Amino acid sequence: MTKPVAIATTLLLASLLTSGAAFPTEVIQASAATVSNSTTAVSSPYLTPLWQVNKDAQGLYSEGQQTSQGRTFYTTRNGLIAADITSGRTKWTYKDGTAPQIITNNSVFFITNQGELVKVAADSGKLLWKVKAAKAPIEIGAQAKLIDGVVYFANESGGMAAYNPATGKKIWANQTIPMYVGSLIGTYQNTLLVSSTVNNIRSQFFGLDPASGKQRWRVEGQYAYAGYRDGQLILRESKYAAGTASSTPSAPAYLMTLTSIDVKSGKITSRKQYQPLAGAADIYNIRTILQGSSVYSMDEYTEQGGPLLTRFTMGQQAEQSSKSYASYGGWLAGPVDGRVFFQKDQQITSVNLTDNTTILFKNPASPVIHLQKIGKAVYAGFGNGKFSIMNADTGTLLGTMQTDAGEYGSISVVNGIVLIPTEHKLFAVSLPKELR
């Protein structure tokens, strides 16, 4: 989000370099008590890039910071490039390199188009080891992940393997595990959990012995990964599996059905349904997040737009145990640091999940296509091509630049420098002084 479905609200930054003078932009004008739908032009500082480079879209949706040893990493037709975070200058290039799969404090791992799993030094690009992990040409779905000190490799047509990250020595291989549109979930209760699709409708989840790669159990159904809790793999059933497409007119429809599976045995231990409703065929879940005792369901309603957020208490199926946040508008991001972000009539609002206090943001008058909160800052890209940095605690607009962008990767902040990856460019800007 297959992997947990995540909303594809990402941003891109194209170039517009002008002086560092104040840059006028349309923002929502809102008081502390009410949200105004009117817009007006106000001055906000222009975010002048420290540097920018052209890149391709490889690895745009990679999780986590793409940085190590003062370097940031991106790809072009020339290969994998490491750039100095401060200056943007190229420090090294690996000709056959692709987007990093794993980045540690000292190393970068990637998979070449020839099917090699490669480890290089993050600071110099020096080859540390490489192994033939799959037959060429490599499938788009090939992936590697570092879990509990082991590098696990999966290939859509080549099963799975495990490698020692220090030496590259193969620990085991299991070619019988199908990994088409697969995901390496993690290890829990000494069980390696992975998943893949059966036919793009049904999915399958496997429990493997992490030491040998041998299959312990398999579960198949119309499921999506929701999370892990207390020895249980939590899966969300498709609305069709939950009875909404049943031929029985009286079959109940529920917004959410969660199935719990014991990770040691693979046995289903419970199946709980939340919030009965009518017309569920018009509702499409895009993401489910487990956090503490709460379950957050982000659902697209065809007649209302969205997605809209509903919060449930895990295990409590009574209607009074749920809370709808539909009045705040469409869900954008969160929960993060106890807050969730929404947009309604182009106004961005954050809601405190503990006391429901809100912060209204001054933002460009345009739909948000990507939003991240990191520390005291909120970073947002908009459909009109603008990118803004706002104070997370006050909603103050601290800077904007015109980017004409359409997609973003994960934004990183390193030593006061904000790195903004897009499908065509990588930008670096200074973090506004009041956020340092």
Side-chain angles (χ1 to χ4, degrees):
M1 113 14 111
T2 61
K3 295 181 179 180
V5 179
I7 183 172
T9 54
T10 54
L11 303 167
L12 258 164
L13 302 178
S15 66
L16 178 61
L17 294 177
T18 65
S19 68
F23 182 74
T25 179
E26 284 191 331
V27 301
I28 297 289
Q29 295 299 294
S31 69
T34 61
V35 175
S36 170
N37 296 331
S38 62
T39 63
T40 184
V42 300
S43 292
S44 66
Y46 179 69
L47 296 173
T48 302
L50 298 171
W51 54 266
Q52 59 180 295
V53 293
N54 294 324
K55 61 180 285 294
D56 60 29
Q58 278 192 58
L60 186 62
Y61 305 114
S62 298
E63 298 178 357
Q65 293 199 163
Q66 301 295 292
T67 62
S68 180
Q69 295 288 314
R71 314 282 192 252
T72 185
F73 308 98
Y74 62 92
T75 54
T76 70
R77 62 184 180 181
N78 296 321
L80 175 62
I81 297 173
D84 181 82
I85 290 175
T86 302
S87 66
R89 294 191 182 97
T90 298
K91 305 304 290 188
W92 54 261
T93 300
Y94 197 98
K95 185 178 179 181
D96 296 323
T98 59
Q101 295 284 319
I102 302 166
I103 299 176
T104 69
N105 290 335
N106 301 302
S107 309
V108 178
F109 299 75
F110 56 87
I111 303 168
T112 69
N113 293 326
Q114 290 71 44
E116 296 171 322
L117 177 61
V118 180
K119 177 184 179 182
V120 300
D123 60 349
S124 65
K126 178 183 177 182
L127 176 65
L128 300 177
W129 56 257
K130 64 179 179 180
V131 297
K132 189 70 172 178
K135 296 179 180 179
I138 197 72
E139 289 89 348
I140 294 176
Q143 58 184 298
K145 190 172 184 178
L146 182 63
I147 305 174
D148 293 342
V150 177
V151 174
Y152 293 99
F153 172 86
N155 192 29
E156 289 196 341
S157 64
M160 291 186 58
Y163 295 89
N164 183 307
T167 65
K169 181 180 179 181
K170 184 183 290 186
I171 300 171
W172 55 258
N174 187 338
Q175 304 300 315
T176 66
I177 303 298
M179 289 300 292
Y180 181 67
V181 192
S183 179
L184 302 168
I185 298 172
T187 54
Y188 302 97
Q189 301 285 309
N190 194 36
T191 301
L192 173 63
L193 301 179
V194 303
S195 68
S196 61
T197 185
V198 176
N199 54 10
N200 294 321
I201 297 176
R202 298 178 66 81
S203 57
Q204 53 193 343
F205 290 79
F206 297 89
L208 308 179
D209 179 355
S212 66
K214 293 182 179 179
Q215 179 180 323
R216 291 174 174 168
W217 53 261
R218 172 183 177 273
V219 172
E220 177 182 334
Q222 290 180 250
Y223 295 125
Y225 175 75
Y228 168 84
R229 176 175 292 162
D230 300 330
Q232 302 292 308
L233 172 65
I234 311 299
L235 304 179
R236 179 164 181 161
E237 288 189 11
S238 161
K239 63 187 179 67
Y240 298 107
T244 59
S246 171
S247 58
T248 305
S250 61
Y254 294 87
L255 180 64
M256 182 174 70
T257 301
L258 297 180
T259 297
S260 298
I261 297 173
D262 181 83
V263 297
K264 290 184 177 180
S265 66
K267 294 181 179 180
I268 294 176
T269 58
S270 69
R271 181 176 181 268
K272 296 185 182 299
Q273 296 175 311
Y274 299 79
Q275 190 167 315
L277 42 76
D282 295 325
I283 303 174
Y284 300 90
N285 175 253
I286 59 169
R287 192 173 184 187
T288 306
I289 296 176
L290 274 62
Q291 196 173 99
S293 61
S294 297
V295 184
Y296 298 89
S297 179
M298 296 73 167
D299 302 282
E300 195 85 40
Y301 290 71
T302 55
E303 74 280 6
Q304 298 181 37
L308 303 182
L309 172 65
T310 307
R311 179 184 182 182
F312 297 91
T313 300
M314 190 75 173
Q316 297 183 17
Q317 298 165 271
E319 288 190 44
Q320 57 267 29
S321 68
S322 67
K323 176 178 174 58
S324 172
Y325 292 84
S327 62
Y328 297 104
W331 170 81
L332 296 176
V336 57
D337 298 332
R339 286 192 166 272
V340 180
F341 294 82
F342 303 91
Q343 187 173 38
K344 183 176 183 180
D345 298 327
Q346 302 184 24
Q347 167 70 53
I348 297 174
T349 303
S350 75
V351 180
N352 186 303
L353 292 171
T354 301
D355 58 15
N356 293 323
T357 56
T358 61
I359 297 173
L360 306 180
F361 289 79
K362 291 186 176 181
N363 56 271
S366 179
V368 174
I369 55 176
H370 178 86
L371 187 143
Q372 274 183 253
K373 180 185 183 295
I374 305 174
K376 296 181 179 180
V378 170
Y379 304 90
F382 300 86
N384 62 3
K386 289 181 172 65
F387 175 82
S388 296
I389 300 178
M390 295 163 282
N391 187 309
D393 296 328
T394 65
T396 304
L397 179 62
L398 302 177
T400 297
M401 64 181 179
Q402 184 68 35
T403 64
D404 298 323
E407 293 181 86
Y408 277 83
S410 181
I411 296 167
S412 302
V413 182
V414 181
N415 296 328
I417 296 176
V418 183
L419 299 170
I420 310 160
T422 76
E423 76 266 38
H424 297 308
K425 287 181 178 289
L426 173 63
F427 291 84
V429 299
S430 291
L431 188 68
K433 290 183 179 180
E434 74 172 71
L435 298 177
R436 297 181 190 176

